[in-house]
């Protein structure tokens, strides 16, 4: 479970066959399983990491990425896309994943960092740092979505709706979601006027109204996002 940076050498850039590189129908509903990982393991890739992020859309708070390597002989039960689980179920699974996983890493990039680049670049950087921080270097990484961070130390494959298709990505989605929600709950204690503990920084009507009345908070709100962009300037 260590988060120390990895100093392992780069793996070969040779690409395997892609057993699951399928464009997912956005309307299709999946149930995550371990089949993608098993197909890769059959090709000789032993340690399979799952990579996901949460927090691209909010007006406030960081983007948080998580990377998880599961033990194929001790898979947690009940894993699913974090968005399809109740908060109580996510919290229980968070503890189970942390107990059973071979390795877990987390990385967050602040609202300021997002404003300095853009949300996609920040998300990909957070994801890359998660993989780089694993002390047990993965042989292969499964990534939720359709974008691959540059410079990963191993081969990788994207899966659209990956958190609904791969147990390893689902585990990463839960770790990232629970961590970010807890961060925003604490931020809500410091900035109670915005209700961050209720909406986790997303642009709800109540949150937008609070921004209109109180103004955004430098370091917490994303000044490059509408409706803040162009109306307020962040303190340096």
């Amino acid at each position: 479970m260590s988060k120390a940076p990895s100093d392992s050498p780069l793996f070969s850039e040779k690409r395997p066959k892609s057993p699951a590189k399928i464009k997912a129908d956005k309307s299709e509903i999946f149930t995550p399983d371990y089949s993608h990982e098993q197909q890769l393991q059959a090709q000789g890739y032993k340690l399979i990491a799952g990579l996901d992020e949460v927090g691209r859309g909010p007006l406030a708070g960081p983007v948080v990425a998580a990377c998880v390597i599961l033990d194929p002989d001790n898979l947690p039960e009940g894993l699913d896309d974090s968005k399809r689980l109740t908060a109580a179920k996510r919290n229980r699974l968070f503890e189970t994943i942390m107990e059973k996983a071979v390795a877990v890493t987390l990385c967050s990039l602040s609202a300021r960092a997002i404003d300095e680049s853009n949300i996609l670049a920040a998300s990909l950087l957070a994801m890359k740092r998660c993989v780089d921080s694993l002390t047990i270097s993965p042989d292969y990484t499964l990534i939720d979505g359709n974008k691959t961070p540059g410079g990963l130390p191993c081969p990788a494959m994207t899966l659209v709706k990956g958190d609904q298709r791969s147990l390893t990505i689902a585990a990463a989605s839960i770790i990232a979601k629970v961590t970010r929600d807890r961060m925003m709950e604490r931020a809500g204690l410091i900035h109670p006027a915005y209700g961050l503990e209720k909406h986790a920084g997303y642009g709800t009507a109540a949150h937008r109204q609070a921004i209109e009345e109180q103004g955004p908070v430098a370091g917490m709100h994303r000044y490059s996002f509408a409706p803040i962009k162009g109306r307020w300037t962040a303190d340096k």
Side-chain angles (χ1 to χ4, degrees), residues 11-213:
F11 283 91
S12 167
E13 290 300 319
K14 182 180 179 182
R15 297 285 176 172
K17 298 177 181 178
S18 299
K21 201 164 186 178
I22 303 169
K23 290 185 178 180
D25 182 342
K26 291 185 178 180
S27 65
E28 191 171 357
I29 298 175
F30 299 92
T31 300
D33 58 31
Y34 204 66
S35 62
H36 300 91
E37 292 85 343
Q38 289 173 330
Q39 291 178 64
L40 289 166
Q41 287 164 347
Q43 297 179 45
Y45 297 93
K46 183 178 179 182
L47 295 174
I48 311 300
L51 185 59
D52 200 3
E53 54 74 29
V54 64
R56 287 196 187 190
L59 303 179
V63 60
V64 177
C67 189
V68 176
I69 300 176
L70 294 176
D71 179 353
D73 297 320
N74 194 19
L75 296 173
E77 295 183 2
L79 294 177
D80 201 347
D81 174 3
S82 62
K83 298 183 293 296
R84 301 198 299 204
L85 299 170
T86 65
K89 186 68 177 293
R90 284 196 299 267
N91 278 286
R92 288 195 297 270
L93 283 168
F94 178 96
E95 301 301 329
T96 302
I97 294 165
M98 296 298 289
E99 177 184 348
K100 292 186 174 184
V102 173
V104 176
T105 56
L106 281 157
C107 177
S108 67
L109 286 182
S110 69
R112 288 188 189 275
I114 293 167
D115 289 339
E116 288 171 359
S117 55
N118 58 68
I119 186 58
L120 176 59
S123 298
L124 293 174
L125 178 57
M127 295 169 81
K128 180 184 184 303
R129 287 180 176 177
C130 275
V131 181
D132 289 343
S133 296
L134 290 165
T135 54
I136 304 174
S137 294
D139 299 320
Y140 204 97
T141 299
L142 294 173
I143 305 169
D144 182 50
N146 59 6
K147 302 291 184 182
T148 302
L152 293 182
C154 63
M157 178 171 60
T158 58
L159 287 174
V160 175
K161 285 194 174 183
D163 46 9
Q164 298 179 20
R165 302 169 67 190
S166 158
L167 288 179
T168 306
I169 297 177
S173 79
I174 292 167
I175 294 295
K177 171 68 174 168
V178 171
T179 298
R180 189 179 187 281
D181 283 353
R182 291 176 179 178
M183 294 171 75
M184 298 309 292
E185 287 171 6
R186 292 172 184 172
L189 297 176
I190 300 171
H191 304 286
Y194 298 89
L196 299 169
E197 71 285 355
K198 298 177 182 178
H199 50 65
Y202 283 87
T204 64
H207 188 193
R208 288 172 180 265
Q209 182 64 31
I211 293 173
E212 289 293 328
E213 294 174 355

